[in-house]
Amino acid sequence: MPVESIRIYNTLSRTKEAFVPVEPGKVGIYLCGPTVYKEAHIGHMVGPVIFDTVARYLTYCGFEVKWVVNITDVDDKLIAQAEQRQIPMAQVATQMTADYCANLLEMGVDQITEMPRATENMNEIIEFIGQLIDREFAYSADGDVFFDVVRNSEYGKLTNRSPDDQQGEGGKAASKKRSPGDFALWKAARPGEPSWESPWGQGRPGWHIECSAMSRRFLGETFDIHGGGLDLTFPHHENEIAQSECCHGQPMAKYWMHNGLMRASTATGKVGGRSERETDADGDTAEASEETKISRSKGAGGLRTLLAEHGGELIRYFLLRTHYRSTIVFGPEGLEEAGTALDKFYTFFDRYTRVTGKSFYLTESDEEDRSVIQRRDAGELASDSEGLLSEVADLRQSFLTKMDDDFNTGGATSDLFLILNVLNRYVEQNRLEENKADPDHVAQFSRAVETFRELAALLGLFLKPQSRAGGGASEEVLDKVLQLMIQMRTDARANKDFATSDRIRDELAEVGVTLEDRKEGTVWRLG
RNA sequence: GGCGCCGUGGCCAAGUGGCUAAGGCAGCGGAUUGCAAAUCCGCCAUCGCCGGUUCGAAUCCGGCCGGCGCCUCCA
């Protein structure tokens, strides 16, 4: 029985609305994916991460989720890349798609049901265009086909504008268009360009039509949630709506969700600094302000490097700690802070192991017999719980309430910290790390940690061990060496030779190994 | 010019009509420790400015100041 408490901010109405799916119990989500002409940057990950979280949450809440992310693999920019690199367009697409998918995986985005490519849906696209022409919402002109915006009385409803407002001149194909706001559904091929056969001659699809065609194929004429970056509202989504709704005579999607854009922090730490634009008297003021925009700033690239340096989990947490609709400023300070915050959890997981003798992370075989909670109704803690479990139950409720409210991951993550605090306090107060710990306390603690794991999993966090710094070296050998060092240091301490013991600890710290002296003995960790 | 968004402590960031304004980072004090690390406890903001509505507003309305996005195939 799916829950009915979820509210979603709908760009169409500019308000939060109760989430009621088109078909009870099922949810169809379409997210505009990348045009695969170059390597992905960090900004490309915002949508996938938030929608991956949305998909996890809706599944958890009892819905059967189908999530489609398209790959646009035919486009002017792809053609340009292919020309520049002297390789076929399809090869550019294959390479960049692989890069994109690898990045998604690294960030724990694994909820996608379908990833259709435009070039593999050419029949659907051509059929769709044909239907629009039949219904007189589109016209062909000299091998091109355009959508006739004037014929669509609702055109502009998503972004609140009308064709008359458009200032554009209509671009290169203006002379063929009936009005400047008309956009291409099909573009006639120029010599040497990749092309497909169509009733209008050799050519390729325009930008927006692939999404209308593929969303219909996989999700139907009306589906639940359509997502994408805020910058896609116009013209992309506006045009998708025009195409689909004129073709079908019914709404394309019930809820339109748009994630905020990311900006790069400048070296000075000032984000929107305007000093440069002031001095640039005659002016290209537009360019100065673009520096901070991720998608157009050169310095912000290197997602691969970023992931290699920090790990996908940190980037994921970094994105999720802010509400998805707000702007995220991306910079080294924020990453560092996120890393410090995550370390609190990792440190706790080691503690959990010390208390229970088990790893915090579940292995595949664990998932069967450990009661992993993957459903909201199954995760309820007994209503008569008290003490630890009662506290955790309250925080769990708080977490879910925040997620219900337009997927407030920023608020929800903070509840994770509160639960962490409750758990740590419980370990201290009941001396769970000592040998004489009460088994009942340990059991209760384990149950509480399960709830923590349940909630973190909704955010896609802490599902599997992150390869921490130093990866590649044999953990086993490292451990043996360090055990030896620890023994020597323990001997030194027993002899009150603190000069030696401190030297061992300090020099290990310099190479990235931290020693912790605990009642039960000394332990080491990286970082 | 048109259409929108945003402005909460040193930094990041929840809260959108009502207990003493979450949480994280940084900082300070304490517990613990041989010293540390980790952890725990405590301290640290009246919400850009002005006016209005209301018994009551960070939260609603108006104005102003500041920042940003789209109107250009950028997620």
Side-chain angles (χ1 to χ4, degrees), chain A residues 69-84:
Chain A
V69 179
N70 70 286
I71 299 288
T72 298
D73 58 352
V74 50
D75 167 274
D76 287 355
K77 283 181 297 199
L78 269 142
I79 293 171
Q81 270 293 314
E83 219 162 83
Q84 194 186 322

Side-chain angles (χ1 to χ4, degrees), chain A residues 97-330:
Chain A
T97 302
D99 172 71
Y100 183 74
C101 290
N103 289 323
L104 291 186
L105 218 57
E106 175 68 25
M107 307 212 46
V109 175
D110 62 5
Q111 300 291 302
I112 299 171
T113 317
E114 298 279 354
M115 265 188 135
R117 287 148 212 237
T119 57
E120 291 171 359
N121 288 272
M122 215 43 85
N123 292 339
E124 283 79 5
I125 290 170
I126 290 168
E127 182 191 6
F128 206 109
I129 296 171
Q131 287 168 344
L132 282 171
I133 292 176
D134 292 346
R135 286 159 209 183
E136 296 180 9
F137 288 106
Y139 56 92
S140 64
D142 217 7
D144 290 339
V145 179
F146 297 100
F147 185 89
D148 192 342
V149 292
V150 177
R151 289 270 296 133
N152 177 202
S153 59
E154 290 196 323
Y155 188 79
K157 69 178 178 181
L158 181 68
T159 51
N160 193 19
R161 58 188 94 200
S162 72
D164 306 338
D165 296 337
Q166 307 312 315
Q167 294 188 325
E169 313 266 308
K172 281 178 267 181
S175 59
K176 297 181 184 176
K177 293 182 182 178
R178 291 182 185 167
S179 45
D182 291 355
F183 54 92
L185 299 172
W186 190 260
K187 295 179 171 183
R190 286 170 294 196
E193 284 181 353
S195 64
W196 288 258
E197 252 185 62
S198 80
W200 318 284
Q202 289 291 122
R204 61 195 153 88
W207 178 29
H208 321 292
I209 192 67
E210 83 280 19
C211 286
S212 284
M214 292 191 283
S215 65
R216 177 171 76 179
R217 174 175 171 191
F218 291 98
L219 298 170
E221 294 183 0
T222 299
F223 53 93
D224 299 291
I225 299 172
H226 190 129
L230 203 52
D231 53 345
L232 293 183
T233 51
F234 191 93
H236 188 54
H237 290 161
E238 199 69 82
N239 291 350
E240 279 186 48
I241 290 179
Q243 293 160 352
S244 291
E245 301 195 350
C246 285
C247 190
H248 305 136
Q250 56 178 307
M252 181 183 193
K254 275 187 89 170
Y255 307 91
W256 287 80
M257 289 175 62
H258 290 98
N259 58 268
L261 304 180
M262 193 171 244
R263 293 191 297 146
S265 66
T266 59
T268 60
K270 272 184 142 183
V271 178
R274 51 187 313 166
S275 51
E276 277 197 45
R277 105 167 55 165
E278 305 282 326
T279 53
D280 190 9
D282 19 51
D284 207 345
T285 53
E287 274 192 359
S289 65
E290 277 174 347
E291 286 182 358
T292 55
K293 198 169 171 185
I294 291 272
S295 60
R296 284 175 176 166
S297 80
K298 295 168 191 165
L303 178 57
R304 261 295 166 66
T305 319
L306 201 65
L307 288 172
E309 276 174 17
H310 300 281
E313 185 151 85
L314 188 148
I315 308 291
R316 184 174 181 116
Y317 168 72
F318 177 76
L319 298 179
L320 252 23
R321 68 180 187 154
T322 304
H323 186 93
Y324 76 89
R325 277 190 281 118
S326 39
T327 304
I328 302 175
V329 178
F330 180 79

Side-chain angles (χ1 to χ4, degrees), chain A residues 345-475:
Chain A
F345 293 105
Y346 298 142
T347 303
F348 172 76
F349 300 157
D350 290 340
R351 186 171 216 185
Y352 173 82
T353 302
R354 269 180 257 121
V355 171
T356 65
K358 299 179 202 163
S359 164
F360 171 83
Y361 298 101
L362 302 180
T363 64
E364 279 175 38
S365 54
D366 281 330
E367 306 223 6
E368 298 291 321
D369 43 87
R370 282 205 211 174
S371 52
V372 185
I373 298 152
Q374 294 173 327
R375 281 301 152 107
R376 186 169 180 160
D377 42 20
E380 297 285 351
L381 289 144
S383 55
D384 60 347
S385 350
E386 34 184 74
L388 173 68
L389 293 184
S390 163
E391 276 187 273
V392 171
D394 288 348
L395 288 169
R396 175 180 180 273
Q397 189 50 53
S398 166
F399 181 104
L400 296 179
T401 302
K402 286 169 183 165
M403 287 298 285
D404 278 348
D405 182 11
D406 196 29
F407 312 105
N408 180 359
T409 57
T413 49
S414 67
D415 285 329
L416 246 32
F417 281 97
L418 290 173
I419 296 176
L420 183 69
N421 176 253
V422 168
L423 292 170
N424 270 319
R425 197 192 314 142
Y426 191 77
V427 172
E428 303 250 310
Q429 285 176 351
N430 296 288
R431 302 168 183 274
L432 293 191
E433 290 191 75
E434 293 172 30
N435 293 331
K436 59 186 178 191
D438 181 343
D440 287 347
H441 285 157
V442 173
Q444 204 170 116
F445 173 71
S446 295
R447 177 63 189 85
V449 170
E450 237 162 70
T451 294
F452 172 85
R453 191 192 286 122
E454 167 195 352
L455 301 178
L458 291 174
L459 300 175
L461 295 175
F462 314 135
L463 294 168
K464 54 187 175 206
Q466 292 290 293
S467 46
R468 297 191 201 174
S474 162
E475 283 266 316

Side-chain angles (χ1 to χ4, degrees), chain A residues 1 11 171 226 243 366 481 514:
Chain A
M1 195 51 189
T11 308
H226 190 129
Q243 293 160 352
D366 281 330
V481 172
T514 305

